Amino acid sequence: MAGRRNHREYPVELGVVVNPVEYIAGVWRFSRTPGGFSLAHSTPGHLVHYIIHGAYTLTTDLRTYRVKAGDVIVYHGTESVECRWDGGAVEFYSIAFEASALPPLPLDRRVFAASRRAAELFAEIYAISQDAQGDPVRLRLFAGLYA
């Protein structure tokens, strides 16, 4: 039949999906009070924040962002990070991990709005990390679930 193709015409090469995460250094949930200021450095490797609620001004790599609930912030290496907690109380998840084979995102793509599913995954990763109680083997196993 013209225009109809079967699945045998499109060979699929099956491969192994490799998890680039070597280890997870930590999973946290932070709260910040309004009116504060902090100057710090991100953790070595990769660091990802998900803003649960609130908003603030962030400066890193000479770029200033206005971040808000639902945003994801991605850091790489030990970046200088300046935060002005000028938008009310802020709460966010933070996940630090090492993945040397995973290149950093370009600077212009380091802050972005996340999907609702991302919010659920951050909450789930945090809950699992609390159950793992810092056990590196269990943390490595749950990292594999989200690669």
Side-chain angles (χ1 to χ4, degrees):
M1 212 190 262
R4 187 171 180 182
R5 301 176 186 192
N6 73 39
H7 68 279
R8 289 189 180 98
E9 293 178 44
Y10 299 99
V12 176
E13 184 178 323
L14 298 177
V16 175
V17 176
V18 177
N19 179 356
V21 176
E22 295 155 23
Y23 67 88
I24 295 175
V27 180
W28 306 277
R29 184 173 175 156
F30 293 110
S31 296
R32 299 292 185 256
T33 57
F37 171 83
S38 66
L39 182 58
H41 287 89
S42 59
T43 58
H46 296 269
L47 179 65
V48 181
H49 289 173
Y50 174 79
I51 311 303
I52 301 166
H53 71 265
Y56 62 97
T57 303
L58 163 75
T59 301
T60 184
D61 282 325
L62 302 176
R63 293 173 177 258
T64 299
Y65 306 92
R66 182 71 182 162
V67 297
K68 62 190 179 315
D71 284 351
V72 168
I73 307 160
V74 180
Y75 303 95
H76 185 262
T78 52
E79 297 180 38
S80 177
V81 181
E82 179 182 306
C83 297
R84 294 193 183 280
W85 311 106
D86 54 2
V90 175
E91 194 163 359
F92 61 95
Y93 292 113
S94 181
I95 302 173
F97 60 96
E98 184 61 47
S100 56
L102 187 63
L105 289 177
L107 292 176
D108 63 341
R109 302 193 71 199
R110 300 258 184 113
V111 176
F112 54 89
S115 68
R116 183 171 295 183
R117 180 68 179 135
E120 295 167 357
L121 289 172
F122 270 91
E124 188 174 343
I125 290 169
Y126 179 74
I128 292 169
S129 75
Q130 297 306 291
D131 289 342
Q133 298 175 355
D135 179 343
V137 173
R138 291 184 70 192
L139 286 173
R140 175 99 171 122
L141 289 173
F142 97 77
L145 297 174
Y146 297 98

